Amino acid sequence: MKYVIIGASAAGVNGAENLRRLDKTAEIIMISEDSHIYSRCILHHYIGEIRNIKQLNFVSEDFFEKNNINWIKNKKVIMLDENNKILTLNDNSKITFDKLLISSGSSPFIPPIENLRGAENVVGLKTLEDCSAIIELGKKAKNIVVIGAGLIGMDAISGLLHNKEINANLSLIEMSNRLLPLQLDKISSKIYEEKLIENKVNLYLSSKVLKANLNNENLIESLTLEGDLTIPCDLIVVATGIKSNTDFLQNTKVEFDRKGLIFNEKGETNIKDIYGAGDVSGRGPIWSVAVKEGIIATSNMVGIERVMDDFFVCKSTMNFFGIPTLSLGDQSLYENTEGIIIEISENENSYKKIAHKDGYIYGAIIQGDLEYTGVLTQLIRLDVDISKVKKSIFNIDYSDFFHLDANCEFQY
Ligand SMILES: Cc1cc2nc3c(=O)[nH]c(=O)nc-3n(C[C@H](O)[C@H](O)[C@H](O)COP(=O)(O)OP(=O)(O)OC[C@H]3O[C@@H](n4cnc5c(N)ncnc54)[C@H](O)[C@@H]3O)c2cc1C
């Protein structure tokens, strides 16, 4: 059997390792544009020059040798012939396969703002090469602007703040009225807003970039925001979203939509022997989901039936400025859901919020003291009907989980 995997990141690498575990003799080929294995979740440490490339690696040095995996790096898949099971790479070489895993992930989406696309001082944040460009341009810059205060934009700011050789004025522009709008509400955003201001970052919330203004060298020298505000910039880091890497599927019958590749809970696409995993779906772009999907898809590829059963696809933990936060669910969605009950517990050291409806937890934010997240996870995992909890939900502790009724129902 010949397995080919497109992508060498969370889904691809974990998928390849699982394949080898389950099939000791198969031929396994992994193809990637990346020429290093690294975790994108800690790229800000690379920008901050706290970690080098080696320290971003999440596999052992002998990973490929040990697992007998042939890694074709620094090559791009440009075409798929699904009928004859052949991939074409950008050097025109052809690779055949019996079964294929598409885990080609995503790339930064640069919004269609006048003059923004194509300017040389505009960089996304997804790869090591992006980080190198940010460091190189950042060291020369007087003014750096990050557009988008989601997880990637916040990582960009953290990295820039940590790099001692980058002394530019930093600005962060966000359309929403708060930082990390998918993960945080206004209260939990506030603590990070204060930290940014303390660190002299110019914060523009509820602000929209209307236009980028070019100088005669075709570089962007300023951005015009709504409200006729113009801010200077020598480097712009765009963190406004991602788009799935599905270009090579354009002329195939493999199904994908506006978000990305379509595959079921087993990782199967609409074409036999072609599977998908990770960010390429454009749904729930987080590391742990990509890892799990890579393992599940490759298990099904070798004939071991497994399905994806994660309890929350929108799940983020962050630790900006040493303040940890766990966010479950898409905060911007559930706030407007009719009938939602919000429970809040707040003190000096922590902020806890749970949103539920009909006993089902739609989302939660735990900030500061994360001890409660263990209990919360149990409530979700054990499918506890929140509306039946007889004490304050925030006072539940592990001992409550031993209170079983004769019929095995939990009692509080
Ligand atoms: C800056 C940053 C910070 C993040 N922080 C967090 C975090 O704190 N927590 C969290 O859960 N998630 C975080 N994420 C998201 C997380 O990194 C992704 O969910 C995860 O990397 C997805 O893995 P993947 O394998 O699906 O795809 P990707 O990581 O996108 O990798 C895609 C792979 O496919 C290759 N590829 C793409 N197209 C082709 C092609 N045509 N031919 C050959 N190879 C190709 C690429 O070279 C790459 O190896 C962060 C992402 C970024 C960018």
mmCIF file of all heavy atoms in Angstrom, residues 6-12 31-34 36 39-44 75-78 103-107 125-127 151-152 155 245 248 277-280 284-288 290 315-317, ligand 1:
data_model
loop_
_atom_site.group_PDB
_atom_site.id
_atom_site.type_symbol
_atom_site.label_atom_id
_atom_site.label_comp_id
_atom_site.label_asym_id
_atom_site.label_seq_id
_atom_site.Cartn_x
_atom_site.Cartn_y
_atom_site.Cartn_z
ATOM 1 N N ILE A 6 -0.348 15.122 1.952
ATOM 2 C CA ILE A 6 0.037 16.492 1.576
ATOM 3 C C ILE A 6 -0.008 17.332 2.848
ATOM 4 O O ILE A 6 -1.060 17.453 3.478
ATOM 5 C CB ILE A 6 -0.926 17.092 0.517
ATOM 6 C CG1 ILE A 6 -1.064 16.162 -0.684
ATOM 7 C CG2 ILE A 6 -0.436 18.483 0.087
ATOM 8 C CD1 ILE A 6 -2.098 16.648 -1.715
ATOM 9 N N GLY A 7 1.141 17.902 3.228
ATOM 10 C CA GLY A 7 1.207 18.713 4.443
ATOM 11 C C GLY A 7 2.075 18.067 5.497
ATOM 12 O O GLY A 7 2.023 16.850 5.709
ATOM 13 N N ALA A 8 2.902 18.886 6.152
ATOM 14 C CA ALA A 8 3.806 18.378 7.191
ATOM 15 C C ALA A 8 3.656 19.208 8.454
ATOM 16 O O ALA A 8 4.610 19.767 8.981
ATOM 17 C CB ALA A 8 5.240 18.425 6.693
ATOM 18 N N SER A 9 2.394 19.300 8.906
ATOM 19 C CA SER A 9 2.156 20.071 10.131
ATOM 20 C C SER A 9 1.329 19.214 11.099
ATOM 21 O O SER A 9 1.477 17.988 11.095
ATOM 22 C CB SER A 9 1.472 21.391 9.739
ATOM 23 O OG SER A 9 1.299 22.229 10.842
ATOM 24 N N ALA A 10 0.457 19.845 11.877
ATOM 25 C CA ALA A 10 -0.259 19.099 12.929
ATOM 26 C C ALA A 10 -0.959 17.846 12.393
ATOM 27 O O ALA A 10 -0.757 16.740 12.894
ATOM 28 C CB ALA A 10 -1.284 20.027 13.586
ATOM 29 N N ALA A 11 -1.773 18.010 11.356
ATOM 30 C CA ALA A 11 -2.555 16.885 10.839
ATOM 31 C C ALA A 11 -1.666 15.888 10.092
ATOM 32 O O ALA A 11 -1.760 14.669 10.309
ATOM 33 C CB ALA A 11 -3.665 17.405 9.925
ATOM 34 N N GLY A 12 -0.796 16.399 9.214
ATOM 35 C CA GLY A 12 0.024 15.528 8.373
ATOM 36 C C GLY A 12 1.024 14.704 9.176
ATOM 37 O O GLY A 12 1.127 13.481 8.994
ATOM 38 N N ILE A 31 4.466 15.181 1.581
ATOM 39 C CA ILE A 31 4.940 16.279 0.711
ATOM 40 C C ILE A 31 4.558 17.608 1.362
ATOM 41 O O ILE A 31 3.411 17.773 1.796
ATOM 42 C CB ILE A 31 4.251 16.217 -0.673
ATOM 43 C CG1 ILE A 31 4.391 14.819 -1.289
ATOM 44 C CG2 ILE A 31 4.806 17.283 -1.617
ATOM 45 C CD1 ILE A 31 3.422 14.575 -2.450
ATOM 46 N N SER A 32 5.504 18.543 1.413
ATOM 47 C CA SER A 32 5.118 19.850 1.964
ATOM 48 C C SER A 32 5.916 20.991 1.354
ATOM 49 O O SER A 32 7.068 20.820 0.963
ATOM 50 C CB SER A 32 5.306 19.877 3.480
ATOM 51 O OG SER A 32 6.665 19.940 3.799
ATOM 52 N N GLU A 33 5.261 22.140 1.332
ATOM 53 C CA GLU A 33 5.961 23.379 0.959
ATOM 54 C C GLU A 33 6.932 23.752 2.069
ATOM 55 O O GLU A 33 7.994 24.297 1.816
ATOM 56 C CB GLU A 33 4.931 24.501 0.813
ATOM 57 C CG GLU A 33 4.363 24.629 -0.567
ATOM 58 C CD GLU A 33 3.587 25.922 -0.702
ATOM 59 O OE1 GLU A 33 2.454 25.969 -0.212
ATOM 60 O OE2 GLU A 33 4.124 26.873 -1.303
ATOM 61 N N ASP A 34 6.558 23.445 3.298
ATOM 62 C CA ASP A 34 7.433 23.705 4.441
ATOM 63 C C ASP A 34 8.711 22.892 4.331
ATOM 64 O O ASP A 34 8.669 21.729 3.926
ATOM 65 C CB ASP A 34 6.754 23.243 5.747
ATOM 66 C CG ASP A 34 5.772 24.264 6.290
ATOM 67 O OD1 ASP A 34 5.981 25.461 6.072
ATOM 68 O OD2 ASP A 34 4.802 23.835 6.945
ATOM 69 N N HIS A 36 10.698 22.783 7.152
ATOM 70 C CA HIS A 36 10.973 22.441 8.554
ATOM 71 C C HIS A 36 9.670 21.947 9.173
ATOM 72 O O HIS A 36 8.588 22.292 8.703
ATOM 73 C CB HIS A 36 11.429 23.670 9.348
ATOM 74 C CG HIS A 36 12.744 24.212 8.882
ATOM 75 N ND1 HIS A 36 13.948 23.745 9.347
ATOM 76 C CD2 HIS A 36 13.034 25.180 7.990
ATOM 77 C CE1 HIS A 36 14.923 24.401 8.767
ATOM 78 N NE2 HIS A 36 14.411 25.283 7.922
ATOM 79 N N SER A 39 5.860 24.030 15.202
ATOM 80 C CA SER A 39 4.537 24.357 15.717
ATOM 81 C C SER A 39 4.252 25.830 15.452
ATOM 82 O O SER A 39 5.009 26.700 15.885
ATOM 83 C CB SER A 39 4.468 24.090 17.214
ATOM 84 O OG SER A 39 3.300 24.700 17.722
ATOM 85 N N ARG A 40 3.132 26.063 14.785
ATOM 86 C CA ARG A 40 2.765 27.460 14.491
ATOM 87 C C ARG A 40 2.304 28.174 15.756
ATOM 88 O O ARG A 40 2.362 29.397 15.837
ATOM 89 C CB ARG A 40 1.661 27.503 13.434
ATOM 90 C CG ARG A 40 2.134 26.819 12.173
ATOM 91 C CD ARG A 40 1.114 26.736 11.081
ATOM 92 N NE ARG A 40 1.512 25.701 10.148
ATOM 93 C CZ ARG A 40 2.413 25.841 9.184
ATOM 94 N NH1 ARG A 40 3.000 27.000 9.002
ATOM 95 N NH2 ARG A 40 2.732 24.837 8.400
ATOM 96 N N CYS A 41 1.850 27.393 16.736
ATOM 97 C CA CYS A 41 1.318 28.005 17.971
ATOM 98 C C CYS A 41 2.390 28.762 18.741
ATOM 99 O O CYS A 41 2.073 29.580 19.599
ATOM 100 C CB CYS A 41 0.726 26.935 18.884
ATOM 101 S SG CYS A 41 -0.458 25.880 18.070
ATOM 102 N N ILE A 42 3.670 28.458 18.478
ATOM 103 C CA ILE A 42 4.732 29.167 19.213
ATOM 104 C C ILE A 42 5.605 30.006 18.272
ATOM 105 O O ILE A 42 6.727 30.369 18.619
ATOM 106 C CB ILE A 42 5.586 28.181 20.059
ATOM 107 C CG1 ILE A 42 5.955 26.932 19.259
ATOM 108 C CG2 ILE A 42 4.881 27.807 21.337
ATOM 109 C CD1 ILE A 42 6.873 25.961 19.996
ATOM 110 N N LEU A 43 5.048 30.335 17.103
ATOM 111 C CA LEU A 43 5.830 31.166 16.163
ATOM 112 C C LEU A 43 6.170 32.531 16.761
ATOM 113 O O LEU A 43 7.178 33.134 16.402
ATOM 114 C CB LEU A 43 5.058 31.352 14.851
ATOM 115 C CG LEU A 43 5.175 30.216 13.822
ATOM 116 C CD1 LEU A 43 4.320 30.523 12.604
ATOM 117 C CD2 LEU A 43 6.624 29.973 13.422
ATOM 118 N N HIS A 44 5.324 33.000 17.696
ATOM 119 C CA HIS A 44 5.611 34.317 18.297
ATOM 120 C C HIS A 44 6.927 34.280 19.086
ATOM 121 O O HIS A 44 7.595 35.291 19.219
ATOM 122 C CB HIS A 44 4.440 34.804 19.160
ATOM 123 C CG HIS A 44 4.006 33.848 20.219
ATOM 124 N ND1 HIS A 44 3.369 32.670 19.944
ATOM 125 C CD2 HIS A 44 4.122 33.907 21.575
ATOM 126 C CE1 HIS A 44 3.100 32.040 21.073
ATOM 127 N NE2 HIS A 44 3.551 32.766 22.070
ATOM 128 N N LYS A 75 8.370 21.459 -1.628
ATOM 129 C CA LYS A 75 7.721 21.193 -2.928
ATOM 130 C C LYS A 75 6.230 21.414 -2.763
ATOM 131 O O LYS A 75 5.643 21.072 -1.728
ATOM 132 C CB LYS A 75 7.965 19.742 -3.382
ATOM 133 C CG LYS A 75 9.397 19.444 -3.787
ATOM 134 C CD LYS A 75 9.614 19.855 -5.209
ATOM 135 C CE LYS A 75 11.013 19.927 -5.702
ATOM 136 N NZ LYS A 75 12.133 19.618 -4.923
ATOM 137 N N LYS A 76 5.636 21.955 -3.836
ATOM 138 C CA LYS A 76 4.213 22.267 -3.765
ATOM 139 C C LYS A 76 3.428 21.340 -4.678
ATOM 140 O O LYS A 76 3.830 21.143 -5.845
ATOM 141 C CB LYS A 76 4.045 23.736 -4.202
ATOM 142 C CG LYS A 76 2.661 24.253 -4.070
ATOM 143 C CD LYS A 76 2.600 25.737 -4.358
ATOM 144 C CE LYS A 76 1.168 26.198 -4.218
ATOM 145 N NZ LYS A 76 1.022 27.625 -4.232
ATOM 146 N N VAL A 77 2.325 20.809 -4.177
ATOM 147 C CA VAL A 77 1.429 20.034 -5.045
ATOM 148 C C VAL A 77 0.623 21.040 -5.856
ATOM 149 O O VAL A 77 -0.018 21.926 -5.286
ATOM 150 C CB VAL A 77 0.479 19.149 -4.197
ATOM 151 C CG1 VAL A 77 -0.559 18.469 -5.095
ATOM 152 C CG2 VAL A 77 1.272 18.135 -3.397
ATOM 153 N N ILE A 78 0.674 20.917 -7.192
ATOM 154 C CA ILE A 78 -0.073 21.899 -7.995
ATOM 155 C C ILE A 78 -1.266 21.268 -8.725
ATOM 156 O O ILE A 78 -2.133 21.975 -9.226
ATOM 157 C CB ILE A 78 0.847 22.635 -9.012
ATOM 158 C CG1 ILE A 78 1.620 21.634 -9.881
ATOM 159 C CG2 ILE A 78 1.799 23.597 -8.302
ATOM 160 C CD1 ILE A 78 2.293 22.294 -11.084
ATOM 161 N N SER A 103 -3.875 17.297 3.888
ATOM 162 C CA SER A 103 -3.793 18.086 5.136
ATOM 163 C C SER A 103 -2.925 19.312 4.838
ATOM 164 O O SER A 103 -1.929 19.562 5.498
ATOM 165 C CB SER A 103 -3.234 17.250 6.285
ATOM 166 O OG SER A 103 -2.028 16.618 5.933
ATOM 167 N N SER A 104 -3.385 20.031 3.800
ATOM 168 C CA SER A 104 -2.595 21.162 3.293
ATOM 169 C C SER A 104 -2.889 22.462 4.039
ATOM 170 O O SER A 104 -2.363 23.522 3.671
ATOM 171 C CB SER A 104 -2.831 21.327 1.794
ATOM 172 O OG SER A 104 -4.206 21.300 1.514
ATOM 173 N N GLY A 105 -3.746 22.405 5.056
ATOM 174 C CA GLY A 105 -3.909 23.551 5.949
ATOM 175 C C GLY A 105 -4.447 24.799 5.286
ATOM 176 O O GLY A 105 -5.263 24.749 4.352
ATOM 177 N N SER A 106 -3.950 25.928 5.760
ATOM 178 C CA SER A 106 -4.491 27.210 5.308
ATOM 179 C C SER A 106 -3.378 28.248 5.186
ATOM 180 O O SER A 106 -2.260 28.030 5.636
ATOM 181 C CB SER A 106 -5.525 27.695 6.325
ATOM 182 O OG SER A 106 -4.888 27.838 7.581
ATOM 183 N N SER A 107 -3.741 29.369 4.568
ATOM 184 C CA SER A 107 -2.800 30.494 4.403
ATOM 185 C C SER A 107 -3.493 31.762 4.873
ATOM 186 O O SER A 107 -4.725 31.816 4.933
ATOM 187 C CB SER A 107 -2.428 30.649 2.927
ATOM 188 O OG SER A 107 -1.837 29.479 2.468
ATOM 189 N N LEU A 125 0.934 35.960 8.888
ATOM 190 C CA LEU A 125 1.714 35.215 9.891
ATOM 191 C C LEU A 125 1.241 33.768 9.892
ATOM 192 O O LEU A 125 0.198 33.438 10.455
ATOM 193 C CB LEU A 125 1.555 35.850 11.287
ATOM 194 C CG LEU A 125 2.192 35.073 12.446
ATOM 195 C CD1 LEU A 125 3.639 34.697 12.181
ATOM 196 C CD2 LEU A 125 2.099 35.875 13.738
ATOM 197 N N LYS A 126 1.990 32.928 9.179
ATOM 198 C CA LYS A 126 1.627 31.519 9.133
ATOM 199 C C LYS A 126 2.865 30.627 9.089
ATOM 200 O O LYS A 126 2.881 29.541 9.631
ATOM 201 C CB LYS A 126 0.759 31.282 7.878
ATOM 202 C CG LYS A 126 0.293 29.878 7.652
ATOM 203 C CD LYS A 126 -0.861 29.490 8.553
ATOM 204 C CE LYS A 126 -1.010 28.006 8.657
ATOM 205 N NZ LYS A 126 -2.302 27.549 9.098
ATOM 206 N N THR A 127 3.915 31.117 8.441
ATOM 207 C CA THR A 127 5.087 30.260 8.228
ATOM 208 C C THR A 127 6.342 30.875 8.859
ATOM 209 O O THR A 127 6.365 32.058 9.215
ATOM 210 C CB THR A 127 5.362 30.097 6.715
ATOM 211 O OG1 THR A 127 5.644 31.394 6.186
ATOM 212 C CG2 THR A 127 4.182 29.489 5.986
ATOM 213 N N LEU A 151 -6.357 35.550 17.626
ATOM 214 C CA LEU A 151 -5.221 34.837 18.237
ATOM 215 C C LEU A 151 -3.921 35.107 17.487
ATOM 216 O O LEU A 151 -2.864 35.297 18.096
ATOM 217 C CB LEU A 151 -5.495 33.335 18.253
ATOM 218 C CG LEU A 151 -6.463 32.846 19.340
ATOM 219 C CD1 LEU A 151 -6.843 31.396 19.100
ATOM 220 C CD2 LEU A 151 -5.853 33.013 20.729
ATOM 221 N N ILE A 152 -3.990 35.162 16.152
ATOM 222 C CA ILE A 152 -2.758 35.346 15.372
ATOM 223 C C ILE A 152 -2.249 36.783 15.495
ATOM 224 O O ILE A 152 -1.049 37.008 15.673
ATOM 225 C CB ILE A 152 -2.982 34.902 13.912
ATOM 226 C CG1 ILE A 152 -3.264 33.386 13.905
ATOM 227 C CG2 ILE A 152 -1.789 35.254 13.015
ATOM 228 C CD1 ILE A 152 -3.527 32.768 12.566
ATOM 229 N N ASP A 155 -0.674 37.110 18.806
ATOM 230 C CA ASP A 155 0.642 36.450 18.801
ATOM 231 C C ASP A 155 1.675 37.353 18.140
ATOM 232 O O ASP A 155 2.819 37.454 18.598
ATOM 233 C CB ASP A 155 0.573 35.128 18.016
ATOM 234 C CG ASP A 155 0.191 33.951 18.908
ATOM 235 O OD1 ASP A 155 -0.021 34.173 20.105
ATOM 236 O OD2 ASP A 155 0.107 32.822 18.398
ATOM 237 N N ASN A 245 -5.988 25.906 1.810
ATOM 238 C CA ASN A 245 -5.110 25.633 0.660
ATOM 239 C C ASN A 245 -5.724 24.527 -0.198
ATOM 240 O O ASN A 245 -5.404 23.347 -0.042
ATOM 241 C CB ASN A 245 -3.724 25.222 1.154
ATOM 242 C CG ASN A 245 -3.020 26.366 1.858
ATOM 243 O OD1 ASN A 245 -3.178 27.536 1.496
ATOM 244 N ND2 ASN A 245 -2.265 26.052 2.894
ATOM 245 N N PHE A 248 -5.056 23.267 -5.629
ATOM 246 C CA PHE A 248 -4.775 22.112 -6.486
ATOM 247 C C PHE A 248 -6.000 21.211 -6.682
ATOM 248 O O PHE A 248 -5.939 20.216 -7.395
ATOM 249 C CB PHE A 248 -3.581 21.298 -5.925
ATOM 250 C CG PHE A 248 -3.799 20.802 -4.520
ATOM 251 C CD1 PHE A 248 -4.331 19.550 -4.300
ATOM 252 C CD2 PHE A 248 -3.484 21.586 -3.430
ATOM 253 C CE1 PHE A 248 -4.546 19.078 -3.016
ATOM 254 C CE2 PHE A 248 -3.696 21.131 -2.131
ATOM 255 C CZ PHE A 248 -4.232 19.880 -1.926
ATOM 256 N N ALA A 277 -7.950 16.232 6.547
ATOM 257 C CA ALA A 277 -7.799 16.482 7.993
ATOM 258 C C ALA A 277 -7.222 17.871 8.217
ATOM 259 O O ALA A 277 -6.445 18.368 7.402
ATOM 260 C CB ALA A 277 -6.863 15.436 8.610
ATOM 261 N N GLY A 278 -7.637 18.496 9.316
ATOM 262 C CA GLY A 278 -7.017 19.751 9.747
ATOM 263 C C GLY A 278 -7.624 21.005 9.150
ATOM 264 O O GLY A 278 -8.748 21.006 8.632
ATOM 265 N N ASP A 279 -6.831 22.072 9.212
ATOM 266 C CA ASP A 279 -7.283 23.413 8.821
ATOM 267 C C ASP A 279 -7.786 23.522 7.390
ATOM 268 O O ASP A 279 -8.478 24.474 7.049
ATOM 269 C CB ASP A 279 -6.117 24.414 8.956
ATOM 270 C CG ASP A 279 -5.964 24.937 10.368
ATOM 271 O OD1 ASP A 279 -6.485 24.275 11.288
ATOM 272 O OD2 ASP A 279 -5.326 25.986 10.550
ATOM 273 N N VAL A 280 -7.411 22.577 6.542
ATOM 274 C CA VAL A 280 -7.840 22.650 5.135
ATOM 275 C C VAL A 280 -9.362 22.626 5.029
ATOM 276 O O VAL A 280 -9.928 23.085 4.035
ATOM 277 C CB VAL A 280 -7.173 21.519 4.294
ATOM 278 C CG1 VAL A 280 -7.711 20.148 4.669
ATOM 279 C CG2 VAL A 280 -7.336 21.774 2.801
ATOM 280 N N GLY A 284 -13.088 25.221 12.378
ATOM 281 C CA GLY A 284 -12.404 24.918 13.656
ATOM 282 C C GLY A 284 -10.899 24.836 13.527
ATOM 283 O O GLY A 284 -10.319 23.788 13.793
ATOM 284 N N PRO A 285 -10.269 25.929 13.093
ATOM 285 C CA PRO A 285 -8.817 25.862 12.844
ATOM 286 C C PRO A 285 -7.985 25.922 14.118
ATOM 287 O O PRO A 285 -7.408 26.955 14.442
ATOM 288 C CB PRO A 285 -8.564 27.082 11.953
ATOM 289 C CG PRO A 285 -9.617 28.054 12.349
ATOM 290 C CD PRO A 285 -10.793 27.276 12.864
ATOM 291 N N ILE A 286 -7.929 24.809 14.857
ATOM 292 C CA ILE A 286 -7.034 24.767 16.017
ATOM 293 C C ILE A 286 -6.175 23.506 15.958
ATOM 294 O O ILE A 286 -6.542 22.506 15.360
ATOM 295 C CB ILE A 286 -7.763 24.887 17.381
ATOM 296 C CG1 ILE A 286 -8.766 23.759 17.590
ATOM 297 C CG2 ILE A 286 -8.416 26.226 17.549
ATOM 298 C CD1 ILE A 286 -9.338 23.738 19.002
ATOM 299 N N TRP A 287 -5.029 23.611 16.596
ATOM 300 C CA TRP A 287 -3.994 22.578 16.547
ATOM 301 C C TRP A 287 -4.533 21.208 16.979
ATOM 302 O O TRP A 287 -4.366 20.211 16.282
ATOM 303 C CB TRP A 287 -2.823 23.000 17.435
ATOM 304 C CG TRP A 287 -1.643 22.104 17.347
ATOM 305 C CD1 TRP A 287 -1.378 21.022 18.127
ATOM 306 C CD2 TRP A 287 -0.566 22.215 16.409
ATOM 307 N NE1 TRP A 287 -0.186 20.444 17.733
ATOM 308 C CE2 TRP A 287 0.323 21.170 16.680
ATOM 309 C CE3 TRP A 287 -0.271 23.101 15.376
ATOM 310 C CZ2 TRP A 287 1.498 20.965 15.958
ATOM 311 C CZ3 TRP A 287 0.901 22.907 14.650
ATOM 312 C CH2 TRP A 287 1.768 21.854 14.941
ATOM 313 N N SER A 288 -5.190 21.166 18.152
ATOM 314 C CA SER A 288 -5.616 19.866 18.696
ATOM 315 C C SER A 288 -6.625 19.179 17.781
ATOM 316 O O SER A 288 -6.620 17.951 17.648
ATOM 317 C CB SER A 288 -6.187 20.043 20.108
ATOM 318 O OG SER A 288 -7.235 20.978 20.068
ATOM 319 N N ALA A 290 -6.744 19.534 14.490
ATOM 320 C CA ALA A 290 -5.978 19.056 13.327
ATOM 321 C C ALA A 290 -5.261 17.744 13.658
ATOM 322 O O ALA A 290 -5.266 16.794 12.869
ATOM 323 C CB ALA A 290 -4.981 20.129 12.876
ATOM 324 N N LYS A 315 -12.225 25.944 20.782
ATOM 325 C CA LYS A 315 -11.658 25.792 22.133
ATOM 326 C C LYS A 315 -10.267 26.418 22.092
ATOM 327 O O LYS A 315 -9.419 25.993 21.328
ATOM 328 C CB LYS A 315 -11.579 24.294 22.432
ATOM 329 C CG LYS A 315 -11.036 23.930 23.772
ATOM 330 C CD LYS A 315 -11.235 22.442 24.053
ATOM 331 C CE LYS A 315 -10.708 21.572 22.961
ATOM 332 N NZ LYS A 315 -10.976 20.156 23.075
ATOM 333 N N SER A 316 -10.059 27.464 22.868
ATOM 334 C CA SER A 316 -8.743 28.112 22.834
ATOM 335 C C SER A 316 -8.228 28.344 24.240
ATOM 336 O O SER A 316 -8.985 28.744 25.121
ATOM 337 C CB SER A 316 -8.824 29.495 22.174
ATOM 338 O OG SER A 316 -9.438 29.407 20.938
ATOM 339 N N THR A 317 -6.942 28.099 24.393
ATOM 340 C CA THR A 317 -6.306 28.547 25.630
ATOM 341 C C THR A 317 -5.235 29.549 25.223
ATOM 342 O O THR A 317 -4.609 29.400 24.178
ATOM 343 C CB THR A 317 -5.622 27.393 26.396
ATOM 344 O OG1 THR A 317 -4.946 26.576 25.466
ATOM 345 C CG2 THR A 317 -6.594 26.576 27.179
HETATM 346 C C1 LIG B 1 0.617 32.257 14.431
HETATM 347 C C2 LIG B 1 -0.319 31.136 14.739
HETATM 348 C C3 LIG B 1 -0.616 30.848 16.063
HETATM 349 C C4 LIG B 1 -1.469 29.806 16.374
HETATM 350 N N1 LIG B 1 -1.736 29.550 17.681
HETATM 351 C C5 LIG B 1 -2.536 28.519 18.006
HETATM 352 C C6 LIG B 1 -2.783 28.188 19.359
HETATM 353 O O1 LIG B 1 -2.269 28.829 20.277
HETATM 354 N N2 LIG B 1 -3.590 27.130 19.627
HETATM 355 C C7 LIG B 1 -4.167 26.397 18.634
HETATM 356 O O2 LIG B 1 -4.882 25.431 18.912
HETATM 357 N N3 LIG B 1 -3.960 26.687 17.340
HETATM 358 C C8 LIG B 1 -3.168 27.721 16.998
HETATM 359 N N4 LIG B 1 -2.935 28.020 15.681
HETATM 360 C C9 LIG B 1 -3.618 27.216 14.647
HETATM 361 C C10 LIG B 1 -2.850 25.923 14.379
HETATM 362 O O3 LIG B 1 -1.507 26.209 14.140
HETATM 363 C C11 LIG B 1 -3.488 25.218 13.180
HETATM 364 O O4 LIG B 1 -4.787 24.806 13.546
HETATM 365 C C12 LIG B 1 -2.673 24.007 12.742
HETATM 366 O O5 LIG B 1 -1.368 24.381 12.333
HETATM 367 C C13 LIG B 1 -3.357 23.302 11.574
HETATM 368 O O6 LIG B 1 -2.561 22.260 11.161
HETATM 369 P P1 LIG B 1 -2.727 21.613 9.726
HETATM 370 O O7 LIG B 1 -1.826 20.424 9.709
HETATM 371 O O8 LIG B 1 -4.148 21.381 9.420
HETATM 372 O O9 LIG B 1 -2.250 22.702 8.662
HETATM 373 P P2 LIG B 1 -1.101 23.784 8.598
HETATM 374 O O10 LIG B 1 -0.450 23.981 9.918
HETATM 375 O O11 LIG B 1 -1.691 24.952 7.919
HETATM 376 O O12 LIG B 1 -0.009 23.106 7.641
HETATM 377 C C14 LIG B 1 -0.262 22.867 6.298
HETATM 378 C C15 LIG B 1 0.883 22.082 5.694
HETATM 379 O O13 LIG B 1 0.591 21.834 4.317
HETATM 380 C C16 LIG B 1 1.654 22.276 3.490
HETATM 381 N N5 LIG B 1 1.055 22.678 2.193
HETATM 382 C C17 LIG B 1 0.096 23.576 1.967
HETATM 383 N N6 LIG B 1 -0.244 23.616 0.663
HETATM 384 C C18 LIG B 1 0.548 22.712 0.053
HETATM 385 C C19 LIG B 1 0.702 22.283 -1.272
HETATM 386 N N7 LIG B 1 -0.059 22.758 -2.267
HETATM 387 N N8 LIG B 1 1.644 21.353 -1.549
HETATM 388 C C20 LIG B 1 2.428 20.829 -0.558
HETATM 389 N N9 LIG B 1 2.313 21.199 0.723
HETATM 390 C C21 LIG B 1 1.384 22.123 1.033
HETATM 391 C C22 LIG B 1 2.326 23.378 4.283
HETATM 392 O O14 LIG B 1 3.663 23.556 3.859
HETATM 393 C C23 LIG B 1 2.210 22.799 5.703
HETATM 394 O O15 LIG B 1 3.239 21.870 5.921
HETATM 395 C C24 LIG B 1 -2.074 29.052 15.332
HETATM 396 C C25 LIG B 1 -1.781 29.345 13.999
HETATM 397 C C26 LIG B 1 -0.908 30.375 13.709
HETATM 398 C C27 LIG B 1 -0.605 30.676 12.273
#
